[in-house]
């Protein structure tokens, strides 16, 4: 873990929005701006995708990102690379210390496979992503790829499997990223109720942007 605090003040932010528990949000961050994702009440997973605003086919690439940094988890200093090999954002502050890149977004299909058939129609992050894309119009179903789960704790077992464990976050924990280009940020403030990623109780999250 590489815990780094920020001296940015919320009252100086040029953009602030609270994402209700379990809901999506799609917004823009300009090149050079700093984005903060804030876990308001603690233990809330924030599923996130990033795109180059000027060329949305250029998007966050988890394989390239992990290969270049040589680590499974993201924290301060991690550079998020695109599928074209360009940096999209860099994490510059982090009070949680570790963010998942492997667990993916919950969906109808994964809820059914992981939990039970009757969980199929529960609200999911993939549903959130698709709803936000439909409402905004710039992104489509084909643009939804592998995401980052900020604040989510997904340990890798000695056998190479994944487990979903209680989160490492707490009320007021945050991560800050500086944009290397104009970036679209697509968020699902995860509605998952079937594993401890949200402490069994989804809560609001806030996004802040500074010039």
């Amino acid at each position: 873990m590489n815990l780094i605090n920020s001296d940015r003040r919320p009252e100086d932010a040029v953009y602030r929005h609270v994402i209700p528990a379990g809901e999506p949000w799609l917004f823009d961050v300009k090149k050079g701006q700093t984005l903060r994702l804030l876990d308001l009440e603690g233990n809330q997973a924030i599923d996130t995708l990033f795109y180059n605003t000027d060329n949305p086919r250029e998007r966050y690439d988890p394989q390239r990102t992990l290969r270049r940094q040589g680590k499974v988890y993201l924290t301060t200093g991690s550079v998020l690379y695109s599928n074209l090999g360009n940096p999209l954002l860099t994490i510059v502050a982090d009070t949680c210390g570790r963010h998942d890149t492997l667990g993916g977004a919950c969906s109808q299909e994964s809820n059914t496979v992981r939990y039970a058939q009757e969980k199929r129609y529960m609200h999911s992050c993939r549903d959130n992503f698709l709803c936000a894309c439909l409402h905004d119009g710039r992104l489509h179903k084909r643009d939804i790829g592998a995401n980052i789960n900020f604040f989510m704790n997904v340990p890798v077992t000695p056998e190479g499997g994944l487990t979903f464990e209680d989160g490492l976050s707490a009320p007021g924990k945050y991560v800050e990223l500086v944009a290397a280009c104009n970036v679209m940020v697509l968020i699902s403030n995860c509605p998952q109720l079937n594993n401890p990623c949200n402490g069994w109780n989804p809560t609001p999250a806030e996004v802040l942007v500074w010039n």
Side-chain angles (χ1 to χ4, degrees), residues 2-32:
N2 192 5
L3 301 179
I4 299 292
N5 289 302
S6 169
D7 59 2
R8 293 179 178 84
R9 303 187 306 170
E11 57 267 29
D12 295 331
V14 297
Y15 177 84
R16 297 183 69 174
H17 176 76
V18 173
I19 308 173
E23 293 300 309
W25 195 246
L26 176 59
F27 62 103
D28 293 279
V29 176
K30 296 178 182 178
K31 180 179 180 180

Side-chain angles (χ1 to χ4, degrees), residues 138-195:
R138 291 179 292 173
L139 299 172
H140 306 279
K141 183 177 181 179
R142 67 188 180 195
D143 298 312
I144 306 302
N147 61 284
I148 300 169
N149 295 308
F150 286 104
F151 307 109
M152 190 169 168
N153 184 21
V154 183
V156 179
T157 69
E159 297 75 26
L162 301 177
T163 61
F164 295 92
E165 303 293 343
D166 194 33
L168 303 173
S169 189
K173 297 288 187 180
Y174 59 81
V175 58
E176 286 186 0
L177 308 96
V178 173
C181 61
N182 296 326
V183 174
M184 277 191 286
V185 184
L186 175 56
I187 287 176
S188 170
N189 193 29
C190 185
Q192 184 59 257
L193 294 169
N194 300 295
N195 68 53

Side-chain angles (χ1 to χ4, degrees), residues 74-90:
L74 303 176
T75 187
T76 308
S78 298
V79 179
L80 310 186
Y81 286 95
S82 77
N83 56 326
L84 300 184
N86 301 314
L88 293 175
L89 307 99
T90 300

Side-chain angles (χ1 to χ4, degrees), residues 62-76:
Q63 290 81 16
R64 196 181 302 265
T65 297
L66 299 188
R67 185 169 64 249
R68 289 199 178 184
Q69 71 172 354
K71 297 178 182 178
V72 172
Y73 303 107
L74 303 176
T75 187
T76 308

